[in-house]
Amino acid sequence: MNVDMFRDTPLDMIRERVAACPDAEDAFFVCDLGDIIQKFNIWKQTLPRVDPFYAVKCNDDLRVLSLLAKLGTGFDCASKGEIQKILSLKVSPSRIVYANPCKQNSHIKYAAKHKVNLTTFDNETELHKMKAINPDAEMVLRILPPQSDKVQCQLGNKFGCEIKDVRRLLSVAKELNVNVVGVSFHVGSGCYDAEVYAASVRLSRVVFDIAKDMGFNFSLLDIGGGFPGQKSAKISFKEICDVLAPALDEYFPKDSGVRIIAEPGRYFVASAYTIAVNVIAKRRVARDGEEGQEVTQNDEPVFMYYVNDGVYGSFNCLLFDHAELTAYPLYPAKDDEPLFECSIWGPTCDGLDCINQKTHLPEFDTGNWIIFPDMGAYTVSASSTFNGMPKPRIFYMSNEIYRSQLAGKGSFGFACKDFSLRGELDYLVGSADADAISTY
């Protein structure tokens, strides 16, 4: 796998590839590794007390996982398969949190065998399972945070111990002599309510105090995920941190001895991926006519475009993650170029396979390219080959600004290629600029 170094933007690289291979038509991704490095730098400057444990489920691309491992993040794994993938990168088990409150027995055995002991729970059954299978486990009580409707995906409907049940669960843990070491919460995936983070931190303090009263000595707070990862998000990372950081300092000050971790997923990868899809077919239909009505010269046409990736592939994020995507032409429309109402459809034979029911774009011809940015979160990790449709290839790049960070020692695990630059990569942590921090 090659990394094309020092391109300005993913769009530049897409245009170069399209120009260099005019007969190519397969959909493809461009992943900007520099964007991930920038996010890491921003995190370390904005939330220096919080250790990020990347949520593997969000995007399990091995190149991304390798990069994050080199940067020093931990990893949030939810299954044996995810744990195996992270351990294969020579990551220490101490950098993994098994963050699934309801686990399969064989997966618990695998984790125990490989000394992945830090894990979450929210029910009594899980305590008995862990006592029987992994008595060395370090258990983290996942609580139900205050609920907000400002999320892309609710998680509180499935996981989280209510505050009224905390004392009972901790009593069971004490009877079983299970080691409970802290508290976790998750406000929901794609959260855009900053206040719910602060409220969840306050609630966690209440649980810490209950535990202390019962004789426990908690030392870990896991604040979960939900952090935005793209400029078009309804709230910025900085806006959340402006509320979250003071709450952490108030309820869990530095001298408290409590380690704080988080489980960001989309934050790291959402904006790093851009996909280019090819128009493989096109229909011209009447705007308000009935099905099959003939289109006349007086009609302003409406177009249906069929492209070679869809909701069974990379665009599954539309169904599973409730993503809001924007389509762009490969090159900007000219000032006098008309825009037409259109819909964009995936390549399978299912009528459900629609990427966008209604948007406005210049007229495309078969063979033209449509670009979708911000396609890194909950896309490649859940895509399928339904109807025999292939998964897009991924190309990798980085902006020149990260040259110094891409000049470390050791092996990154894949080759770096530029016109005169060849070698192995390692990543040194740099600093993020103020404009970047305020943007995300």
Side-chain angles (χ1 to χ4, degrees), residues 188-353:
S189 186
C191 180
Y192 49 100
D193 183 353
E195 293 299 330
V196 76
Y197 283 92
S200 299
V201 171
R202 287 194 295 271
L203 186 62
S204 297
R205 179 72 263 173
V206 172
V207 177
F208 265 70
D209 291 342
I210 292 173
K212 183 178 180 180
D213 182 61
M214 296 179 65
F216 290 90
N217 183 26
F218 283 1
S219 59
L220 179 75
L221 174 65
D222 180 351
I223 63 174
F227 302 96
Q230 61 202 67
K231 295 177 182 177
S232 61
K234 296 176 181 177
I235 192 173
S236 71
F237 179 62
K238 182 179 184 300
E239 287 173 312
I240 288 176
C241 294
D242 285 346
V243 175
L244 172 61
L248 292 174
D249 289 340
E250 178 179 355
Y251 296 103
F252 297 91
K254 291 180 182 180
D255 60 5
S256 68
V258 174
R259 184 191 183 193
I260 306 173
I261 69 173
E263 302 167 4
R266 72 176 73 248
Y267 168 80
F268 277 113
V269 295
S271 60
Y273 282 67
T274 302
I275 192 170
V277 295
N278 194 264
V279 178
I280 59 174
K282 168 185 176 181
R283 290 174 61 191
R284 186 173 186 264
V285 297
R287 174 176 294 276
D288 299 314
E290 297 179 357
E291 182 72 23
Q293 178 178 325
E294 182 180 354
V295 182
T296 71
Q297 293 297 323
N298 294 325
D299 286 320
E300 179 181 337
V302 174
F303 295 104
M304 297 176 66
Y305 296 118
Y306 301 81
V307 299
N308 50 0
D309 198 358
V311 301
Y312 284 94
S314 309
F315 292 88
N316 67 83
C317 58
L318 293 167
L319 302 181
F320 301 146
D321 194 42
H322 313 293
E324 297 178 1
L325 304 176
T326 303
Y328 297 92
L330 183 60
Y331 291 96
K334 299 176 182 177
D335 291 340
D336 59 348
E337 187 173 3
L339 302 181
F340 296 95
E341 183 180 320
C342 62
S343 55
I344 304 173
W345 301 78
T348 70
C349 296
D350 190 346
L352 174 70
D353 195 1

